[in-house]
Amino acid sequence: MFSSSVAAAPLTREPLHAPVAHLIRGGIVEGIHYGSVVVLGSDGQVRFQLGDVEAAFYPRSALKPVQAVAMVRAGLPLDGDLLSLTAASHSGEERHLAGARRILKLAGLTEDALRNVPDMPYDPDVRDAWMREGRLPSRLAQNCSGKHAAMLYTCVLNDWPLEGYLDPSHPLQQAIAEIVEDLTGQRIARVTVDGCGAPLFSVSLHGLARAAARITTAAPGTPEARVADAMREHAEMASGSGRDVAALMRAVPGLLAKDGFEGVQVAALPDGRAVAVKIADGASRARVPVAAAALAWAGVSPDLLTEFQGEALLGGGHEVGCVRPVRSLEPVAVSACA
């Protein structure tokens, strides 16, 4: 189904994005979100594409499941909620902070070893509570702390130096880069720094979808299957209470889903059907309904996707429109917006 060979890196160019969603207010298209979408069939072939799915781009946190697979391949023994947290962009809830502390304790380390950027919790309600309590930004509260704790634990297990674990030349990051290329099926185009301070690898949207499909179709007990199982069984640990990506995994049986900053979404089913979305302007209000429409295109029942139609546009406190995927992306209507 998927070739074991690694293709050349995707081209670095200005992406040729296309309209993927309309902002409709009172029956008029008020605005347009541009982006790119790819849908893979269970055979790994492209079944639908819109925009530019082959240009190099940064998947941001949507690549975390791949990073988690790399760490498990390198000996990380975590499973369940802690492995889900390893692949998380968490909300900063107490269970997320407690989980990161547990990983650090297993490594014999403390929060002081983390080198991600100190931040407030990602969830607005949790962040507001922190501020009322006078709590300050911390590395543990930052949404990538689970990944960073797991990176340190992986270094301890392999006798790799803790110092400089975020350097692209570090053995840990070299191991992760190798698995990124393996699962996406293409060479990395560029390496930069993600918001948390970790290396960020550029692939194509098509490559990201292919990696997700390879993770969900892997044999039971493999590192890929362990990551997929952990994220699906502990969806809130990989995100947070009330997060759309957790709700999506609960709504669609067997679905693995991960979001990323700047409007990125990837999702894959156990049979290898997969979708990947990039919203050009980074808007989450378009990411969610476009991803739902792509999943409907992939064959997921629209009945399972009704809560992901997107946020309503209000006028005078009343609903007067919505964000609707372009018609070509909706073979079966998911949105009720006219």
Side-chain angles (χ1 to χ4, degrees), residues 37-293:
V37 180
V38 64
V39 177
L40 303 185
S42 58
D43 59 356
Q45 299 301 307
V46 174
R47 292 292 179 247
F48 176 87
Q49 60 181 314
L50 186 61
D52 194 343
V53 305
E54 302 297 351
F57 91 119
Y58 291 118
R60 302 300 299 271
S61 287
L63 200 61
K64 282 178 178 174
V66 178
Q67 294 171 307
V69 168
M71 286 185 269
V72 174
R73 287 195 189 183
L76 186 71
L78 302 178
D79 281 298
D81 62 336
L82 295 186
L83 184 53
S84 183
L85 185 63
T86 296
S89 300
H90 65 70
S91 292
E93 300 166 27
E94 286 303 324
R95 61 177 159 182
H96 300 129
L97 276 60
R101 290 190 192 97
R102 286 165 58 197
I103 296 173
L104 289 169
K105 185 176 181 180
L106 288 169
L109 302 171
T110 67
E111 182 180 352
D112 292 338
L114 295 171
R115 288 296 175 266
N116 56 318
V117 177
D119 201 358
M120 301 293 282
Y122 177 73
D123 183 270
D125 293 334
V126 179
R127 183 169 60 248
D128 288 348
W130 268 57
M131 294 177 69
R132 287 194 299 270
E133 296 166 7
R135 300 172 75 175
L136 300 175
S138 77
R139 299 185 194 275
L140 210 60
Q142 197 268 338
N143 77 87
C144 302
S145 65
K147 178 182 76 174
H148 281 255
M151 284 180 169
L152 288 166
Y153 190 12
T154 304
C155 289
V156 169
L157 293 167
N158 286 277
D159 292 324
W160 292 334
L162 302 183
E163 189 66 30
Y165 78 92
L166 297 182
D167 191 305
S169 65
H170 189 280
L172 169 71
Q173 302 303 335
Q174 290 290 300
I176 290 174
E178 180 181 346
I179 303 309
V180 169
E181 293 187 336
D182 178 30
L183 293 182
T184 62
Q186 59 190 181
R187 299 296 179 193
I188 293 166
R190 294 282 180 90
V191 181
T192 187
V193 182
D194 210 339
C196 66
L200 178 59
F201 305 107
S202 177
V203 293
S204 70
L205 198 65
H206 186 182
L208 178 64
R210 185 163 47 233
R214 292 189 64 182
I215 289 173
T216 58
T217 57
T222 60
E224 293 88 338
R226 285 170 55 190
V227 170
D229 289 345
M231 293 181 67
R232 289 183 294 218
E233 293 169 12
H234 302 274
E236 285 78 11
M237 204 66 167
S239 53
S241 302
R243 293 274 291 280
D244 58 75
V245 70
L248 190 60
M249 284 194 278
R250 289 195 304 267
V252 181
L255 185 73
L256 174 69
K258 185 70 186 76
D259 55 347
F261 279 153
E262 298 303 323
V264 183
Q265 179 76 58
V266 67
L269 292 154
D271 64 0
R273 286 175 291 160
V275 306
V277 170
K278 164 64 180 175
I279 306 300
D281 61 8
S284 281
R285 70 176 180 180
R287 171 183 59 83
V288 177
V290 168

Side-chain angles (χ1 to χ4, degrees), residues 274-316:
V275 306
V277 170
K278 164 64 180 175
I279 306 300
D281 61 8
S284 281
R285 70 176 180 180
R287 171 183 59 83
V288 177
V290 168
L295 286 168
W297 222 106
V300 174
S301 171
D303 293 339
L304 301 176
L305 301 168
T306 53
E307 68 175 291
F308 308 103
Q309 294 177 0
E311 63 186 64
L313 299 184
L314 302 180

